[in-house]
Amino acid sequence: MTERILLDPHSPDLRAQAEELRRWGPVAPAEWPGGVHCWAVVGHAELETVLTDPRFARSPEHWRALRQGEVPPDWPMLAHLTRKWMLTADGAAHRRLRRAVAAAFTARRVEALAPTVTRTVDALLDGLEAGSRDWPVDLRAAYALPLPLRTLCALFGIPPEDQPEVLRLVGRAFSRSALGPEESARLTRDINAYLADLVRTRAVAPGDDLVTDLLRGDSERLSEAELVDTLWLFLGAGFETTAGALVNTVHALLAHPEELAPALSGRMGWDAVVEEGIRYDSSVYALPFAFPTEDLELGGRTLRGGDALLLCFAAANRDPRHGPRRFEPRRAGGRARQLGFGHGPHFCVGAPLARLQLRLALAGLFERFPGLRLAGPPAPPVPSLITSTPGALHVTW
């Protein structure tokens, strides 16, 4: 039996957990809650290989333990792995789903959202300024969460009164690794019911939104299950991860004021801050799973075909063999490539929208409140093995 590191979604320090994995090498033996064995890929070069080498697949049909009945049927993360979306598709199936999304989620649509994002940023900052007597404030709750929530609701045509329900569903989903089987099953039913109702509404009353475009299927027509799962992928991947990236980058800037000064003076662009923030403290901690389709070597480990590989983005981004451990957006020369949006065929389709929101949100926040400072240490991280971000970040000015 191989000794394995038990992954803990309630860990008070996910970064320390990642470093513990790293001590076992770039590919470390791990165990996901529920007794599911996997290999954690924490090396940058090794993760790039998994993301680009065709010998690694995403579909759980390749998972040996699942085929052999070793994975409990009520294991909470099966709801994630068995959805009909791009994350768990390979080859022609993946290309078909990606074409459908790319045809609807165009550069024109992202550009058209810029005024909406700007208005939302300004409105949220107006609220913070008006309530300045109530500072310190939790920046996550007051700024980081509402921004992508309102942006995605505009993208989907979701009415404002539904935003609390969307917030609840997404928040629970990213804590699924900490949920029990019954809670997880109930969450899946709630997600599917809400999105199926949204699809039915748009089928009767089309709008100028992503749901309508996907229903129209100008490039590829999706089945109802594929459409529901694709919408959930957009909501999940575009909301909590963007909010987490904003919180993490603000914390990094306030903890390293020497790096904030060049951005405030205009000597360094906010785009550089965004990229370095994602590299230094990725809000995407890890994603399950990829599977080698044959026996092979990776990071000094002999892997069998069908082994489960956990994609540890946050750890790989801080691999000391690849780049510096400290936060350095001013770094000259070749910037260390970050993997926070993935790499290769599965590179995040929503990356341009996330970058747009982060750039506008950071610039707006620090231009409005140049004297912003931390009011205490970050709260413990949100319970999850998917995302890595504090549950609260209190600031003052």
Side-chain angles (χ1 to χ4, degrees), residues 155-185:
L155 179 66
F156 280 48
I158 294 174
E161 60 268 22
D162 282 6
Q163 291 184 13
E165 176 65 2
V166 173
L167 180 63
R168 183 188 74 83
L169 292 174
V170 175
R172 295 293 285 165
F174 276 93
S175 295
R176 195 188 287 272
S177 51
L179 300 181
E182 290 185 9
E183 291 177 291
S184 180

Side-chain angles (χ1 to χ4, degrees), residues 150-226:
R150 295 183 190 181
T151 301
L152 287 168
C153 285
L155 179 66
F156 280 48
I158 294 174
E161 60 268 22
D162 282 6
Q163 291 184 13
E165 176 65 2
V166 173
L167 180 63
R168 183 188 74 83
L169 292 174
V170 175
R172 295 293 285 165
F174 276 93
S175 295
R176 195 188 287 272
S177 51
L179 300 181
E182 290 185 9
E183 291 177 291
S184 180
R186 183 166 57 252
L187 172 64
T188 298
R189 290 193 297 271
D190 289 348
I191 291 168
N192 291 344
Y194 179 82
L195 291 175
D197 183 63
L198 178 64
V199 168
R200 285 192 292 269
T201 299
R202 283 294 170 275
V204 174
D208 182 19
D209 53 64
L210 181 67
V211 181
T212 299
D213 285 356
L214 287 170
L215 273 168
R216 187 182 301 120
D218 291 338
S219 175
E220 296 283 345
R221 188 168 295 277
L222 302 180
S223 69
E224 182 176 345
E226 289 171 337

Side-chain angles (χ1 to χ4, degrees), residues 18-191:
E19 291 305 314
E20 182 184 3
L21 290 166
R22 195 188 308 286
R23 285 194 288 272
W24 290 68
V27 179
E31 181 179 321
W32 191 280
V36 173
H37 291 178
C38 60
W39 294 100
V41 184
V42 298
H44 191 282
E46 289 75 16
L47 183 54
E48 274 200 340
T49 296
V50 173
L51 295 173
T52 56
D53 191 320
R55 294 177 300 168
F56 296 91
R58 292 293 189 91
S59 171
E61 69 183 25
H62 297 280
W63 191 6
R64 190 179 63 257
L66 184 63
R67 293 198 309 267
Q68 296 177 354
E70 298 170 7
V71 180
D74 60 354
W75 184 54
M77 292 305 298
L78 276 181
H80 167 89
L81 288 168
T82 55
R83 283 193 176 273
K84 298 181 182 298
W85 56 14
M86 291 184 292
L87 283 183
T88 53
D90 300 303
H94 174 258
R95 289 190 293 273
R96 185 179 72 84
L97 291 170
R98 194 173 179 95
R99 273 198 306 270
V101 172
F105 193 63
T106 60
R108 180 189 61 81
R109 185 177 290 282
V110 173
E111 291 169 5
L113 282 169
T116 298
V117 175
T118 299
R119 286 193 298 270
T120 302
V121 165
D122 290 342
L124 292 171
L125 293 175
D126 289 345
L128 289 176
E129 194 165 30
S132 58
R133 287 175 297 180
D134 300 323
W135 287 50
V137 298
D138 174 12
L139 199 71
R140 171 179 161 83
Y143 191 54
L145 287 175
L147 173 59
L149 176 62
R150 295 183 190 181
T151 301
L152 287 168
C153 285
L155 179 66
F156 280 48
I158 294 174
E161 60 268 22
D162 282 6
Q163 291 184 13
E165 176 65 2
V166 173
L167 180 63
R168 183 188 74 83
L169 292 174
V170 175
R172 295 293 285 165
F174 276 93
S175 295
R176 195 188 287 272
S177 51
L179 300 181
E182 290 185 9
E183 291 177 291
S184 180
R186 183 166 57 252
L187 172 64
T188 298
R189 290 193 297 271
D190 289 348
I191 291 168

